[in-house]
């Protein structure tokens, strides 16, 4: 099922929150990478950690898509 997200023109100045930008420390990306590295090393994540990792992936994907769409609207 396709979902349509309408993006206001003013969203062209959209910036990712500091927590998910590469320059922030520690970042959500670093936390996600930590969890994925543990999983890759054979450590089974707890249910809470697995849900956290899935949520971080979904958040990062959504924010990246939102930023991309906001730039397309203004071009």
């Amino acid at each position: 099922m396709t979902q349509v997200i309408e993006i206001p023109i003013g969203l062209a100045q959209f910036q990712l929150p500091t927590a998910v930008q590469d320059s922030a420390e520690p970042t959500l990306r670093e936390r996600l990478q930590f969890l994925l590295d543990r999983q890759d090393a054979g450590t089974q994540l707890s249910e809470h950690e697995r849900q956290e990792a899935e949520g971080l992936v979904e958040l990062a994907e959504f924010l990246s898509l939102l930023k991309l769409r906001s730039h397309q609207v203004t071009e």
Side-chain angles (χ1 to χ4, degrees):
M1 177 161 83
T2 302
Q3 294 182 352
V4 176
I5 300 173
E6 292 189 29
I7 300 175
I9 297 294
L11 198 58
Q13 305 305 319
F14 175 76
Q15 294 290 319
L16 292 176
T18 303
V20 293
Q21 292 181 10
D22 291 328
S23 61
E25 287 192 44
T27 67
L28 295 178
R29 290 180 197 198
E30 288 171 341
R31 176 63 179 161
L32 176 58
Q33 190 62 55
F34 170 77
L35 293 170
L36 295 176
D37 288 346
R38 283 189 55 215
Q39 182 176 324
D40 289 346
T43 302
Q44 186 167 348
L45 299 179
S46 69
E47 180 66 19
H48 176 76
E49 290 172 323
R50 187 185 61 74
Q51 289 176 351
E52 179 185 5
E54 288 175 2
L56 290 172
V57 167
E58 290 175 9
L59 175 62
E61 289 175 351
F62 175 75
L63 291 174
S64 294
L65 179 61
L66 188 59
K67 184 174 183 177
L68 174 66
R69 300 286 178 167
S70 71
H71 287 272
Q72 290 175 344
V73 166
T74 59
E75 291 180 353

